[in-house]
Structure formats: C-alpha cells, structure tokens
Amino acid sequence: MVVDDIDAFFREQGLRAELLTEAAAFRRQYNGQGVRKISKPHFPYFGRQIVEAALSALLTGANLLLVGPKAVGKNILAENLAFLLGRPIWNVSFHIDVDAAYLIGMDTFRDGAVCFRPGPVYECVTAGGICILDEINMARNEALAVLHSLLDHRRQMEVPGYDRLVLHPAARFIGTMNYGYEGTRNLNEALLSRFVVLHLPVPGEQELQELLTYEFADLRKGVASTLSALFLDIRKKYEAKEISGRALDLRGLLDAVRLVRQGLTAEQALDMGLTGKCFDAQERALVKDLLALRIPPDWGREDFFAK
Amino acid sequence: MTYQSLSDQRQKRALNIVWAAAGQYGIWPDFLAFCQNGEPDIYLNSIVGLVYRHYDSEMLMRYIREQLYKSLFAELFTELFWLGLENAAYEKEISCRPALKDLRYRHAKRFLAEDASVDISLQQLMLRQELAHTLKCNRCREILGDPAIILNPWDKRLYQALAFSGNMNTAELIAAMENIIRSFFRFHWHNKPREVIHFTSHAFLLNLLKKIWPFHQGHREEQIQQLTFIASAADKGNSLKTIFNRQDKIPTDKELSACYGRSLFSQDRLAEITRRYCQGIHRQVCLWFSAEKGAVRKENTAYFHQHHARFTTELHALTNRLQNALLLGRQAVQLPARNGRLTADRVWRGLILHDGRVFSAIEPTKREDISVMLLLDGSASRQGRQSIIASQAYLLTEALRQVGIPLSVVSFFSQDGCTVLKRLKAFQEKSAQGIFAYKTQGWNRDGLALRALPELWRDMYGQKLLFILTDADPSDERSIPAQGIALEKFYGGEPACKDTKEAVKELRQQGIQIMALINSVVATELVTKAAQHIYGEDYIILQSLSNMAQKVGDVLEQAIFYVHNQKM
C-alpha cells in the first residue's frame, strides 16, 4: 500500500476531500522523516466518521486518546493516521513497570563515561514521529506525569542533567486504552485533559465483512457474512460475561481463514484460531457451540474461497 | 467432577446455545433440549433461540401457557406446536446460517438412531407421546431424504399442516395452530378414527380428568427443564418461637447454644462482652457469637452452580484487578544502599561525588497490613436474595483469598432478644464453603451488632476495612426500654438509625474504615437519606446485588491505594 492507495481508499469511503488535502499538505510540509521508515498499515480502518474526527484532531495539533474495548481497531486506526500524515511510528507498550526513564531515557555507561541513552518518546518527539502510547492506562499515573509538559501547550520538557527536549512540530501522541480491561486503571484528570478523546465503536457486521474481504479478496461473500456474524456472537457472549475475552480475537479469526486456505477444515482452523485460546473446558465448549451454530465443521477451502 | 456440577454445566451450555441463537442474553426459556447421553441438543436449543429471535416470544409463550397448557392434551399440543415452530424457524434462518442445515441433518440422524436404540427403557416408551413422536420421526426421515412412514391419511394431513412456513409471523403461527386444533382435535364425525376431543378447563379439573381418563399421557417434566433456581428464602425461625415465646425473656446460654450453635467465646468472656455492649438502649437484649455455620443451604449452592460460568469470569476479572492494585500499591520500595542491585543512574555519584550508595535495596512489603470483614445483614428483610448474597460473598472471598488479603465473613440477625453474630468464614480459614450456609431470619439490631463486631477482629493488625451489606433500616422486635421519663420505644426508624450512626462512629474511632453496601426494596431517595444519616459519605447504593463483589472490588482497590499512600 502506498499513500496514494490509502488516499484513494478513504476517498472511496467518502472521507472529506479537504481533510485529505490538508493531510497531503502536512506530508509536504514535513517531508523528511529521519532514519525511521514510514510503516505501511496492513489494514485500512473501516469507519469514515472516526477517521475524519481523528485526522481533524491531529491536524489541529491535538493529541488523541482512542478508547474502546478489545478488537475495535485502535492500533489500526493509529497506524492509518500516521500513514496519512506521512510520519514514522514509535510504538510504546505500557505496563505496570513503565517509568520516566523507560519513556524518556536513562543514564548509561559508554566509553567509561555516563551518558544519556534516549528512550522511545525522546526519539519520537525529536524526529517528529507519531508516538503511540499503547494501553496507556496500564501504567501508573505517576510514571506518566513526566509527559505532561510535552503533551500540553509547552511542547517541551527538561531532561534532568541534560538538555531541554523540544517537540518537533510534526510530532503527535496517540494514546490507546481499553477501559475496564484487566490491569487497567483510571487516567488522572491532569493527563486526560491533554488529550482529545475518541470512543471507537465496536465494528458491526458490515465493517467486519469489509475487513475480511479486504484481507481475503476471494473469500465468498456468504462466508464473510457468516464469519462476521460469528465474531459478533462471540462478542455478545463475552459482553454477557459468559466467556472471557480470549476467544474474542480478530487476529485469530483471520489466522483461521488463512489456515482454511492452507487446506484445513473450518473446524480445525477455528479451533486453532479461536477455541484453542480458551483453556477452561466449559468455556471452550461454549465457544465450540457458537462455531457449530454458524459454520459447518467440514467446510474447507472450496467452501470458503471462490475459485 | 460431581454429577451435580456436570448437570449444571450441561444446562448452562444448553442455555448458552439458546442465548447465542436468540442473539440476546438473560432470557429464560421454558424449554431446553438434551440428547439421551445428557449432552445439550445443539439443534433443538438453537431452534428455541431462533424462535425468540424471530417471533414475538412473549405472545408465543403466553399462547402456550394460557391456551395449550390448559388443554386436556397440553403435552401433545405443545409438542405439535414446537414441531411446527421448528420448521418455521428453520426456513426463516437457513439463508443466513448455513450451519443450520448440517445441524438439522445430524439431529435427525441422531434422533432416529436413538429411537431405534434397544437401550430405550420401557419407562421412556411409556412416557412418549406417540402421535407427536410419529410425526417427529417422519420429519427426521424427510430431512434425511428417507421415505415417509406415515400411512394414516389423518396423520398425513396433520403432518402437512404442521409444516409452518418461514414467511409466517407470530399471529399467523398461532392462528395455524388454532386451526389445527379446530380441524383435527375437536370432535367431528369425520375424524372418528382418532376419537379425540379438545376442551380447556381449570387445572384442578384437568388433573382429575387426567387421572380417570384412560388415554395415553406424555410426561412433560422429563423434557422440560425449569430454570428458576432462586429458592424461597429461609424460614423465619419458627422453631425458635416455640422455645422463646415470652417477649421480654432473655434466652439462656443453653437455649442459644441449641439454636445457633456453640458460643465462640468462653462463658466468662461472653459475660464480659455482654456487660460491655448490652447496656443503655440494649440492656434488655443479649449477644451471641458462633462459628458453627450450620448446614450449607442447597438453594445457595444451586444458584451458584447455575451461574458458575459468569462467576468464574467475574472472579478472574476481580482477582486480576486486585492483584494489579496490590502490585501498584505495594511495589517493593527501592532505596539507595551501599550494597544490593547496581543502580545505573547512580553510578555517576560514585565517580563524581564519591557517594558509595550506588546500589538499591528492596524493601519487602507485607499484605497482612490490611484485613477485610464482610458483615452480612441476615435478617428476614433479605428474604428472596439469600442465594445471590451468598454467591457474591463467596466470589469476593475467593478473589481476596487468591490475592492474599485476609477476609472474614459474618452474618448477623436478631431474634427473641438476642443479636447473633455468626461467623461464616474466619480470617485464617482457607475454605469459603461456609458462606453457603448463610440464611435469613429474624430482625437486625444494627447498632448492637456493629459495636460487638470488633470482638471478632481482635487478632488482626493494620488497616481494617469493614463492608456491611444492609438495607439501612435497623429494626428489632425488642423495644428500646423505658429510661427515666422516656417511654419504651420500638427499635426502628429514627432512634435505631441514631443508635447505628453512633456505633459506626465508635468503630471509626477504633480505626476501622467502613463502607456500607445498601440494597433495599424501599425507594432510593428514602434509603439514601437514611444511609447518609448513618454512614455519612461511606456508602454505595446497590440497585442490584449481582454486582456486589465488583463494587466491593472498586472500593477495595481505592483502599489499597489509600493504605499505600498513607505509608509513603
């Protein structure tokens, strides 16, 4: 995929032309992206209104917080936005032990002397990249306080003992979070006020079908529709707390389709891609029933794909 | 795995199939289908779900309950109606659910195989509704592409009439069934070969007729699984009434021991406790502490097993949240030290400032610095919610056990002048099974129970968190005795709230952090007023008890952070 492709894709989806023009202008204005290459998103994000809102926010210089449950495409959207703006990505996965040193950088010994080894946030903001703060609410709020001055109007921070870190004008932060997910906590207001927030909708049958047919162009229409319905069934069961979120795995579903293409039956492939991720016998039985209700177990390559 | 838990799991699985096909969770169908080996019948259960998905289920079920069930041929008509519904739901769904064809085929194959099985018992044969069974067999043969077995023209016409179309709506389905009853089952000269008659009547008369009428009778209970498990609340301790029939008499230790289990404390200790707390407005009542939980209530365990899958998921989530909070709140503190792990960002201090503390020492933290008590109002006002309270308490206990926070569960109630505190789980106890012995009875003299509670919390140190599940409406049959010119008053309303408020204050003064979980049938505004009066800001209104454990988890999470921050 090249930028023109994604431009064309979003134009087809009905994205406002002026936004695409502004994104193109942004790309021209900040042409050099440094050493790191611009990564091409594997999937386009399906959801015109969301892309419009998110792109508008980034073009105005705001930082974006993408909120949504599992498998709604938070990272895919972030990658699409970075690609539209022509900026490289730094992906920082947050966890409980993230601290200021991990984000900004730390002292290290080099050639017998203590020197500064920059962290991902430092590298990203100096290169004008898009910094994806993935699962931002997995870290302690105290650890994130160090980012406050970078995220607000000051756009700079003091690195103790070293220089002042000044934000590149093209640099943007995109936080992602899954509220209520195990291991998460509330973001404090000080941090939250430095983001504009976008709640991502759960993809419906239409979006899932589009994603499946985008990834597998020869997938039969009926199969795409059945797989989408299956995925929504799993989500519903997960939301009703009958099963954990293990089987709610869009990547697993795509993997299963690939396995069918490779020659496995639908039952085998979906067992590997989805059911097998549940380690509780009862939960596995419930997911298996869901699969049985939607897809004949002996379906294979010929049933899934058009010749 | 016990037979009971296996049966519960299968039932839960069948229910999940219905829910998945219906596309809605929380419905409780009248019918669940199981194969002969006890496993859920995936096809028939999906048909039940699809009926809920595509038709006005309320209208259909009303028709079944109010019309078909009242017929003398209730079982037969219900089975015939479902045979028709099966066809309609299948036709309606097949275009968007390709797996249904395969499932139907497999179901038909298994049904006929089971029918031909030599293992079928005489009892099962006797219970079978023959006409419906013949039609079902014919439907299965048709699905498999085998020749029909129906020869009787009357049966043939009935079979054809039961092929309800996928285009029919709910009203049309009901009309079609009514038409079948009119055409085939009312007394007509021309349907003489079957000699059947249909009429509806009062249930009592029907039962009488069924006993004396010499016709073949199916047995619906064998096929229908009723899913309402919430048992009626426990009895109100009527047996006790016979022992303590005088209102003002305080029962003896022997009587109390016989009713509520042996005392947890020695006679002297109990006497001292009674002297300390049973004074003032409580001077005419007594206290009793027992660790004898009594028998596990079957309705409590049944409810828990019925919702096992959901509880497992909730337990997992709650445990993870608490573990996470503990990790955050209790992360070992790293302190600069002269030995330990080398801290890279302090090495420069060694070289430049000659500071030898370039290592870090890890300060270990304990989890015993926090203990939790769950005090359950065990009065009769909790009637009807006993099982859900027991399950939620169990869930919470398990979660806390897994993260290593000591928890004790105590229920209290007042009866015949005695406030009983029954310990269902001690802090050191590993098993939480005793919680299922929770039962509701009597009144709740909250003020006295709260004051006496620290007696069960003596050997714990550190931060103490008390969660009390209550309706914020303390009341007891034993009055507040006359004092000076003040007349005797009922223990309830404003005086009881005031007493409880003072008890809460006393507990706070002892360093116990209190959070009330208020659940009441009274209007929220009234409860809120009482809760504010007694507990200040430390209360949560629980509209539903089914999320009690999660709410306690929220508060506990904050409390863990609070304890941590206090230390820092």
mmCIF file of all heavy atoms in Angstrom, chain B residues 436-471:
data_model
loop_
_atom_site.group_PDB
_atom_site.id
_atom_site.type_symbol
_atom_site.label_atom_id
_atom_site.label_comp_id
_atom_site.label_asym_id
_atom_site.label_seq_id
_atom_site.Cartn_x
_atom_site.Cartn_y
_atom_site.Cartn_z
ATOM 1 N N PHE B 436 -21.943 -20.532 52.100
ATOM 2 C CA PHE B 436 -23.194 -21.044 51.525
ATOM 3 C C PHE B 436 -24.193 -21.471 52.608
ATOM 4 O O PHE B 436 -25.299 -21.884 52.300
ATOM 5 C CB PHE B 436 -22.899 -22.200 50.571
ATOM 6 C CG PHE B 436 -22.261 -21.741 49.297
ATOM 7 C CD1 PHE B 436 -21.001 -22.176 48.923
ATOM 8 C CD2 PHE B 436 -22.925 -20.848 48.466
ATOM 9 C CE1 PHE B 436 -20.412 -21.730 47.750
ATOM 10 C CE2 PHE B 436 -22.349 -20.396 47.294
ATOM 11 C CZ PHE B 436 -21.089 -20.837 46.938
ATOM 12 N N ALA B 437 -23.766 -21.384 53.885
ATOM 13 C CA ALA B 437 -24.703 -21.684 54.973
ATOM 14 C C ALA B 437 -25.489 -20.434 55.361
ATOM 15 O O ALA B 437 -26.340 -20.489 56.248
ATOM 16 C CB ALA B 437 -23.941 -22.224 56.168
ATOM 17 N N TYR B 438 -25.198 -19.329 54.700
ATOM 18 C CA TYR B 438 -25.882 -18.060 55.007
ATOM 19 C C TYR B 438 -27.384 -18.214 54.833
ATOM 20 O O TYR B 438 -27.844 -18.692 53.800
ATOM 21 C CB TYR B 438 -25.343 -16.976 54.064
ATOM 22 C CG TYR B 438 -26.117 -15.677 54.068
ATOM 23 C CD1 TYR B 438 -26.060 -14.797 55.140
ATOM 24 C CD2 TYR B 438 -26.913 -15.320 52.980
ATOM 25 C CE1 TYR B 438 -26.765 -13.608 55.133
ATOM 26 C CE2 TYR B 438 -27.617 -14.132 52.955
ATOM 27 C CZ TYR B 438 -27.538 -13.282 54.036
ATOM 28 O OH TYR B 438 -28.237 -12.103 54.022
ATOM 29 N N LYS B 439 -28.112 -17.854 55.852
ATOM 30 C CA LYS B 439 -29.572 -17.899 55.709
ATOM 31 C C LYS B 439 -30.201 -16.698 56.416
ATOM 32 O O LYS B 439 -29.590 -16.100 57.304
ATOM 33 C CB LYS B 439 -30.135 -19.218 56.204
ATOM 34 C CG LYS B 439 -30.349 -19.352 57.657
ATOM 35 C CD LYS B 439 -31.149 -20.626 57.927
ATOM 36 C CE LYS B 439 -31.604 -20.628 59.385
ATOM 37 N NZ LYS B 439 -32.449 -21.745 59.708
ATOM 38 N N THR B 440 -31.374 -16.359 55.994
ATOM 39 C CA THR B 440 -32.003 -15.144 56.514
ATOM 40 C C THR B 440 -33.073 -15.505 57.530
ATOM 41 O O THR B 440 -33.819 -16.464 57.341
ATOM 42 C CB THR B 440 -32.657 -14.352 55.372
ATOM 43 O OG1 THR B 440 -33.545 -15.226 54.677
ATOM 44 C CG2 THR B 440 -31.635 -13.819 54.411
ATOM 45 N N GLN B 441 -33.126 -14.718 58.593
ATOM 46 C CA GLN B 441 -34.153 -14.915 59.608
ATOM 47 C C GLN B 441 -34.163 -13.721 60.558
ATOM 48 O O GLN B 441 -33.155 -13.021 60.684
ATOM 49 C CB GLN B 441 -33.889 -16.206 60.390
ATOM 50 C CG GLN B 441 -32.605 -16.195 61.187
ATOM 51 C CD GLN B 441 -32.272 -17.581 61.711
ATOM 52 O OE1 GLN B 441 -31.560 -18.355 61.090
ATOM 53 N NE2 GLN B 441 -32.789 -17.896 62.877
ATOM 54 N N GLY B 442 -35.270 -13.486 61.201
ATOM 55 C CA GLY B 442 -35.366 -12.511 62.283
ATOM 56 C C GLY B 442 -35.225 -11.057 61.861
ATOM 57 O O GLY B 442 -35.559 -10.672 60.747
ATOM 58 N N TRP B 443 -34.682 -10.257 62.800
ATOM 59 C CA TRP B 443 -34.582 -8.804 62.653
ATOM 60 C C TRP B 443 -33.115 -8.399 62.574
ATOM 61 O O TRP B 443 -32.248 -9.248 62.609
ATOM 62 C CB TRP B 443 -35.251 -8.122 63.848
ATOM 63 C CG TRP B 443 -36.685 -8.488 64.022
ATOM 64 C CD1 TRP B 443 -37.165 -9.675 64.518
ATOM 65 C CD2 TRP B 443 -37.824 -7.698 63.701
ATOM 66 N NE1 TRP B 443 -38.528 -9.663 64.527
ATOM 67 C CE2 TRP B 443 -38.977 -8.465 64.040
ATOM 68 C CE3 TRP B 443 -38.006 -6.428 63.174
ATOM 69 C CZ2 TRP B 443 -40.265 -7.991 63.855
ATOM 70 C CZ3 TRP B 443 -39.297 -5.942 63.010
ATOM 71 C CH2 TRP B 443 -40.420 -6.726 63.333
ATOM 72 N N ASN B 444 -32.893 -7.091 62.520
ATOM 73 C CA ASN B 444 -31.497 -6.627 62.516
ATOM 74 C C ASN B 444 -31.310 -5.437 63.455
ATOM 75 O O ASN B 444 -31.804 -4.354 63.195
ATOM 76 C CB ASN B 444 -31.023 -6.294 61.093
ATOM 77 C CG ASN B 444 -31.909 -5.333 60.361
ATOM 78 O OD1 ASN B 444 -33.126 -5.467 60.396
ATOM 79 N ND2 ASN B 444 -31.322 -4.362 59.690
ATOM 80 N N ARG B 445 -30.623 -5.686 64.560
ATOM 81 C CA ARG B 445 -30.332 -4.634 65.544
ATOM 82 C C ARG B 445 -28.912 -4.153 65.238
ATOM 83 O O ARG B 445 -27.933 -4.515 65.894
ATOM 84 C CB ARG B 445 -30.448 -5.220 66.957
ATOM 85 C CG ARG B 445 -30.739 -4.195 68.028
ATOM 86 C CD ARG B 445 -30.961 -4.871 69.382
ATOM 87 N NE ARG B 445 -31.258 -3.893 70.425
ATOM 88 C CZ ARG B 445 -32.482 -3.595 70.865
ATOM 89 N NH1 ARG B 445 -33.516 -4.214 70.372
ATOM 90 N NH2 ARG B 445 -32.654 -2.688 71.806
ATOM 91 N N ASP B 446 -28.805 -3.350 64.168
ATOM 92 C CA ASP B 446 -27.503 -2.974 63.605
ATOM 93 C C ASP B 446 -26.558 -2.350 64.629
ATOM 94 O O ASP B 446 -25.361 -2.648 64.654
ATOM 95 C CB ASP B 446 -27.691 -1.975 62.441
ATOM 96 C CG ASP B 446 -28.358 -2.616 61.241
ATOM 97 O OD1 ASP B 446 -28.924 -3.713 61.417
ATOM 98 O OD2 ASP B 446 -28.327 -2.030 60.141
ATOM 99 N N GLY B 447 -27.105 -1.470 65.463
ATOM 100 C CA GLY B 447 -26.264 -0.736 66.418
ATOM 101 C C GLY B 447 -25.493 -1.685 67.312
ATOM 102 O O GLY B 447 -24.269 -1.551 67.481
ATOM 103 N N LEU B 448 -26.177 -2.674 67.843
ATOM 104 C CA LEU B 448 -25.539 -3.615 68.759
ATOM 105 C C LEU B 448 -24.547 -4.515 68.010
ATOM 106 O O LEU B 448 -23.425 -4.746 68.472
ATOM 107 C CB LEU B 448 -26.617 -4.465 69.458
ATOM 108 C CG LEU B 448 -26.127 -5.470 70.478
ATOM 109 C CD1 LEU B 448 -25.312 -4.799 71.580
ATOM 110 C CD2 LEU B 448 -27.294 -6.243 71.094
ATOM 111 N N ALA B 449 -24.970 -4.997 66.844
ATOM 112 C CA ALA B 449 -24.104 -5.901 66.069
ATOM 113 C C ALA B 449 -22.803 -5.194 65.690
ATOM 114 O O ALA B 449 -21.716 -5.771 65.795
ATOM 115 C CB ALA B 449 -24.833 -6.382 64.815
ATOM 116 N N LEU B 450 -22.899 -3.954 65.267
ATOM 117 C CA LEU B 450 -21.695 -3.212 64.861
ATOM 118 C C LEU B 450 -20.764 -2.972 66.040
ATOM 119 O O LEU B 450 -19.546 -3.112 65.920
ATOM 120 C CB LEU B 450 -22.087 -1.878 64.223
ATOM 121 C CG LEU B 450 -22.592 -1.966 62.785
ATOM 122 C CD1 LEU B 450 -23.181 -0.637 62.329
ATOM 123 C CD2 LEU B 450 -21.479 -2.371 61.831
ATOM 124 N N ARG B 451 -21.347 -2.649 67.184
ATOM 125 C CA ARG B 451 -20.499 -2.383 68.356
ATOM 126 C C ARG B 451 -19.747 -3.647 68.774
ATOM 127 O O ARG B 451 -18.609 -3.593 69.206
ATOM 128 C CB ARG B 451 -21.354 -1.881 69.513
ATOM 129 C CG ARG B 451 -21.713 -0.418 69.383
ATOM 130 C CD ARG B 451 -22.370 0.084 70.666
ATOM 131 N NE ARG B 451 -22.771 1.469 70.505
ATOM 132 C CZ ARG B 451 -23.949 1.855 70.042
ATOM 133 N NH1 ARG B 451 -24.845 0.953 69.679
ATOM 134 N NH2 ARG B 451 -24.239 3.145 69.909
ATOM 135 N N ALA B 452 -20.429 -4.786 68.646
ATOM 136 C CA ALA B 452 -19.827 -6.043 69.116
ATOM 137 C C ALA B 452 -18.852 -6.641 68.104
ATOM 138 O O ALA B 452 -18.070 -7.525 68.433
ATOM 139 C CB ALA B 452 -20.933 -7.043 69.415
ATOM 140 N N LEU B 453 -18.901 -6.157 66.880
ATOM 141 C CA LEU B 453 -18.109 -6.761 65.803
ATOM 142 C C LEU B 453 -16.594 -6.825 66.082
ATOM 143 O O LEU B 453 -15.951 -7.836 65.778
ATOM 144 C CB LEU B 453 -18.376 -6.014 64.493
ATOM 145 C CG LEU B 453 -17.861 -6.699 63.243
ATOM 146 C CD1 LEU B 453 -18.662 -7.962 62.970
ATOM 147 C CD2 LEU B 453 -17.943 -5.766 62.048
ATOM 148 N N PRO B 454 -15.993 -5.753 66.654
ATOM 149 C CA PRO B 454 -14.535 -5.813 66.872
ATOM 150 C C PRO B 454 -14.098 -7.022 67.700
ATOM 151 O O PRO B 454 -12.930 -7.395 67.665
ATOM 152 C CB PRO B 454 -14.235 -4.498 67.606
ATOM 153 C CG PRO B 454 -15.335 -3.584 67.194
ATOM 154 C CD PRO B 454 -16.545 -4.446 67.039
ATOM 155 N N GLU B 455 -15.023 -7.621 68.452
ATOM 156 C CA GLU B 455 -14.669 -8.820 69.221
ATOM 157 C C GLU B 455 -14.197 -9.950 68.297
ATOM 158 O O GLU B 455 -13.472 -10.832 68.706
ATOM 159 C CB GLU B 455 -15.868 -9.304 70.042
ATOM 160 C CG GLU B 455 -16.316 -8.328 71.110
ATOM 161 C CD GLU B 455 -15.214 -8.025 72.118
ATOM 162 O OE1 GLU B 455 -14.436 -8.936 72.431
ATOM 163 O OE2 GLU B 455 -15.122 -6.854 72.570
ATOM 164 N N LEU B 456 -14.656 -9.916 67.044
ATOM 165 C CA LEU B 456 -14.254 -10.955 66.089
ATOM 166 C C LEU B 456 -13.041 -10.515 65.264
ATOM 167 O O LEU B 456 -12.648 -11.167 64.305
ATOM 168 C CB LEU B 456 -15.427 -11.265 65.137
ATOM 169 C CG LEU B 456 -16.671 -11.848 65.779
ATOM 170 C CD1 LEU B 456 -17.821 -11.895 64.791
ATOM 171 C CD2 LEU B 456 -16.389 -13.252 66.305
ATOM 172 N N TRP B 457 -12.489 -9.367 65.621
ATOM 173 C CA TRP B 457 -11.430 -8.782 64.807
ATOM 174 C C TRP B 457 -10.202 -8.467 65.654
ATOM 175 O O TRP B 457 -9.361 -7.689 65.276
ATOM 176 C CB TRP B 457 -11.977 -7.465 64.193
ATOM 177 C CG TRP B 457 -11.532 -7.197 62.788
ATOM 178 C CD1 TRP B 457 -10.440 -7.681 62.155
ATOM 179 C CD2 TRP B 457 -12.184 -6.352 61.853
ATOM 180 N NE1 TRP B 457 -10.378 -7.191 60.885
ATOM 181 C CE2 TRP B 457 -11.442 -6.373 60.669
ATOM 182 C CE3 TRP B 457 -13.329 -5.562 61.890
ATOM 183 C CZ2 TRP B 457 -11.799 -5.641 59.537
ATOM 184 C CZ3 TRP B 457 -13.681 -4.835 60.767
ATOM 185 C CH2 TRP B 457 -12.936 -4.886 59.603
ATOM 186 N N ARG B 458 -10.170 -9.071 66.820
ATOM 187 C CA ARG B 458 -9.136 -8.707 67.790
ATOM 188 C C ARG B 458 -7.718 -9.046 67.318
ATOM 189 O O ARG B 458 -6.790 -8.297 67.553
ATOM 190 C CB ARG B 458 -9.402 -9.428 69.110
ATOM 191 C CG ARG B 458 -10.578 -8.853 69.880
ATOM 192 C CD ARG B 458 -10.140 -7.735 70.825
ATOM 193 N NE ARG B 458 -11.298 -7.116 71.468
ATOM 194 C CZ ARG B 458 -11.740 -5.892 71.183
ATOM 195 N NH1 ARG B 458 -11.143 -5.167 70.286
ATOM 196 N NH2 ARG B 458 -12.782 -5.398 71.821
ATOM 197 N N ASP B 459 -7.555 -10.203 66.697
ATOM 198 C CA ASP B 459 -6.189 -10.677 66.429
ATOM 199 C C ASP B 459 -5.634 -10.219 65.080
ATOM 200 O O ASP B 459 -4.673 -10.785 64.575
ATOM 201 C CB ASP B 459 -6.128 -12.205 66.536
ATOM 202 C CG ASP B 459 -7.307 -12.866 65.854
ATOM 203 O OD1 ASP B 459 -8.140 -12.104 65.330
ATOM 204 O OD2 ASP B 459 -7.401 -14.099 65.838
ATOM 205 N N MET B 460 -6.257 -9.221 64.477
ATOM 206 C CA MET B 460 -5.730 -8.714 63.207
ATOM 207 C C MET B 460 -5.155 -7.320 63.419
ATOM 208 O O MET B 460 -5.689 -6.537 64.198
ATOM 209 C CB MET B 460 -6.827 -8.657 62.133
ATOM 210 C CG MET B 460 -7.462 -9.985 61.814
ATOM 211 S SD MET B 460 -6.308 -11.260 61.274
ATOM 212 C CE MET B 460 -5.881 -10.695 59.662
ATOM 213 N N TYR B 461 -4.092 -7.052 62.671
ATOM 214 C CA TYR B 461 -3.444 -5.748 62.804
ATOM 215 C C TYR B 461 -3.477 -5.017 61.469
ATOM 216 O O TYR B 461 -3.819 -5.602 60.451
ATOM 217 C CB TYR B 461 -1.997 -5.925 63.295
ATOM 218 C CG TYR B 461 -1.957 -6.615 64.630
ATOM 219 C CD1 TYR B 461 -1.766 -7.996 64.717
ATOM 220 C CD2 TYR B 461 -2.176 -5.897 65.802
ATOM 221 C CE1 TYR B 461 -1.778 -8.639 65.933
ATOM 222 C CE2 TYR B 461 -2.185 -6.541 67.034
ATOM 223 C CZ TYR B 461 -1.988 -7.905 67.093
ATOM 224 O OH TYR B 461 -2.015 -8.534 68.300
ATOM 225 N N GLY B 462 -3.084 -3.777 61.474
ATOM 226 C CA GLY B 462 -3.051 -2.989 60.231
ATOM 227 C C GLY B 462 -4.410 -2.394 59.917
ATOM 228 O O GLY B 462 -5.300 -2.342 60.765
ATOM 229 N N GLN B 463 -4.557 -1.972 58.684
ATOM 230 C CA GLN B 463 -5.789 -1.311 58.244
ATOM 231 C C GLN B 463 -6.954 -2.301 58.237
ATOM 232 O O GLN B 463 -6.839 -3.403 57.697
ATOM 233 C CB GLN B 463 -5.560 -0.757 56.840
ATOM 234 C CG GLN B 463 -6.729 -0.001 56.269
ATOM 235 C CD GLN B 463 -6.926 1.360 56.913
ATOM 236 O OE1 GLN B 463 -5.965 1.976 57.369
ATOM 237 N NE2 GLN B 463 -8.150 1.815 56.962
ATOM 238 N N LYS B 464 -8.062 -1.895 58.842
ATOM 239 C CA LYS B 464 -9.234 -2.766 58.875
ATOM 240 C C LYS B 464 -10.354 -2.152 58.035
ATOM 241 O O LYS B 464 -10.711 -0.988 58.245
ATOM 242 C CB LYS B 464 -9.709 -2.951 60.310
ATOM 243 C CG LYS B 464 -8.750 -3.759 61.153
ATOM 244 C CD LYS B 464 -9.212 -3.854 62.589
ATOM 245 C CE LYS B 464 -8.251 -4.731 63.382
ATOM 246 N NZ LYS B 464 -8.578 -4.768 64.798
ATOM 247 N N LEU B 465 -10.845 -2.923 57.098
ATOM 248 C CA LEU B 465 -11.921 -2.427 56.238
ATOM 249 C C LEU B 465 -13.173 -3.239 56.502
ATOM 250 O O LEU B 465 -13.138 -4.473 56.428
ATOM 251 C CB LEU B 465 -11.555 -2.592 54.760
ATOM 252 C CG LEU B 465 -10.306 -1.910 54.256
ATOM 253 C CD1 LEU B 465 -10.080 -2.257 52.791
ATOM 254 C CD2 LEU B 465 -10.446 -0.413 54.390
ATOM 255 N N LEU B 466 -14.238 -2.550 56.816
ATOM 256 C CA LEU B 466 -15.494 -3.251 57.064
ATOM 257 C C LEU B 466 -16.499 -2.917 55.971
ATOM 258 O O LEU B 466 -16.782 -1.746 55.702
ATOM 259 C CB LEU B 466 -16.067 -2.833 58.426
ATOM 260 C CG LEU B 466 -17.494 -3.309 58.713
ATOM 261 C CD1 LEU B 466 -17.558 -4.827 58.825
ATOM 262 C CD2 LEU B 466 -18.033 -2.676 59.993
ATOM 263 N N PHE B 467 -17.002 -3.957 55.317
ATOM 264 C CA PHE B 467 -18.094 -3.782 54.355
ATOM 265 C C PHE B 467 -19.344 -4.343 54.997
ATOM 266 O O PHE B 467 -19.346 -5.500 55.428
ATOM 267 C CB PHE B 467 -17.797 -4.527 53.052
ATOM 268 C CG PHE B 467 -16.669 -3.931 52.281
ATOM 269 C CD1 PHE B 467 -15.381 -4.418 52.410
ATOM 270 C CD2 PHE B 467 -16.902 -2.868 51.424
ATOM 271 C CE1 PHE B 467 -14.337 -3.860 51.708
ATOM 272 C CE2 PHE B 467 -15.857 -2.308 50.700
ATOM 273 C CZ PHE B 467 -14.573 -2.794 50.852
ATOM 274 N N ILE B 468 -20.363 -3.532 55.063
ATOM 275 C CA ILE B 468 -21.598 -4.043 55.657
ATOM 276 C C ILE B 468 -22.721 -4.001 54.624
ATOM 277 O O ILE B 468 -22.988 -2.954 54.032
ATOM 278 C CB ILE B 468 -21.969 -3.274 56.956
ATOM 279 C CG1 ILE B 468 -23.389 -3.641 57.395
ATOM 280 C CG2 ILE B 468 -21.832 -1.773 56.829
ATOM 281 C CD1 ILE B 468 -23.754 -3.159 58.774
ATOM 282 N N LEU B 469 -23.275 -5.153 54.372
ATOM 283 C CA LEU B 469 -24.408 -5.226 53.438
ATOM 284 C C LEU B 469 -25.682 -5.060 54.253
ATOM 285 O O LEU B 469 -25.986 -5.869 55.120
ATOM 286 C CB LEU B 469 -24.427 -6.575 52.716
ATOM 287 C CG LEU B 469 -25.616 -6.756 51.781
ATOM 288 C CD1 LEU B 469 -25.476 -5.861 50.561
ATOM 289 C CD2 LEU B 469 -25.765 -8.195 51.347
ATOM 290 N N THR B 470 -26.397 -3.996 53.965
ATOM 291 C CA THR B 470 -27.551 -3.669 54.796
ATOM 292 C C THR B 470 -28.626 -2.950 53.984
ATOM 293 O O THR B 470 -28.366 -2.521 52.858
ATOM 294 C CB THR B 470 -27.090 -2.765 55.977
ATOM 295 O OG1 THR B 470 -28.219 -2.298 56.676
ATOM 296 C CG2 THR B 470 -26.283 -1.577 55.506
ATOM 297 N N ASP B 471 -29.819 -2.817 54.566
ATOM 298 C CA ASP B 471 -30.854 -2.018 53.906
ATOM 299 C C ASP B 471 -30.994 -0.656 54.577
ATOM 300 O O ASP B 471 -31.941 0.080 54.309
ATOM 301 C CB ASP B 471 -32.191 -2.769 53.893
ATOM 302 C CG ASP B 471 -32.654 -3.171 55.291
ATOM 303 O OD1 ASP B 471 -31.943 -2.833 56.257
ATOM 304 O OD2 ASP B 471 -33.695 -3.823 55.410
#
